[in-house]
Amino acid sequence: MEVVARAVIVRDGAVLLVRDVGASYWYFPGGHVEDGETAAQALVRELREELDVGVTLREHLATVPNPFVGDGVEHDEVDHVFAVTIDADDPVSAEPGLVAGWHRLADLDAVDVLPRVLVELVRSL
């Protein structure tokens, strides 16, 4: 099982999402929890690596199963989702293969976001 920490960063009616360059879908920033880390520690580390931002964890929102098939391989992922604030108004990806962007919450039906269940979670906040 893959354990992942994801951030929900909402500001002024928009949520921050990231995508791999060339990909058609967006996802909530974060990444894999490494051995010896808590999900919270992994999220702070991943956001620093991906977006070069400082993070304040506000609350744990949910733990969501996310089974999927990627590149023909079945993945059994569980996402630990946290509401966070960051210390940058308009973060830019610190990784060359990653793009970050703000998306209006009202427009998320038109945005391909994976896993989709996290969109419903954000709307319920």
Side-chain angles (χ1 to χ4, degrees):
M1 175 179 301
E2 300 172 57
V3 180
V4 176
R6 301 256 178 237
V8 174
I9 306 164
V10 177
R11 183 181 296 150
D12 299 326
V15 63
L16 184 68
L17 300 173
V18 295
R19 70 174 173 83
D20 296 329
V21 171
S24 62
Y25 64 91
W26 295 83
Y27 53 94
F28 288 82
H32 287 88
V33 178
E34 295 179 0
D35 288 340
E37 282 184 316
T38 66
Q41 291 167 332
L43 188 57
V44 170
R45 175 186 52 76
E46 286 284 351
L47 292 179
R48 189 177 313 115
E49 290 173 2
E50 291 178 358
L51 302 172
D52 194 25
V53 295
V55 177
T56 301
L57 277 77
R58 305 194 52 83
E59 69 177 301
H60 180 262
L61 298 173
T63 300
V64 179
N66 179 31
F68 66 95
V69 176
D71 296 325
V73 177
E74 289 186 22
H75 296 266
D76 184 21
E77 181 178 284
V78 62
D79 292 347
H80 294 276
V81 185
F82 295 85
V84 306
T85 55
I86 57 174
D87 65 358
D89 291 332
D90 197 17
V92 176
S93 172
E95 296 181 1
L98 194 68
V99 175
W102 292 101
H103 297 267
R104 298 214 35 84
L105 292 169
D107 299 333
L108 285 181
D109 283 339
V111 180
D112 187 6
V113 180
L114 297 177
R116 195 73 198 167
V117 67
L118 295 186
V119 172
E120 301 312 317
L121 174 67
V122 169
R123 285 195 176 129
S124 72
L125 300 178

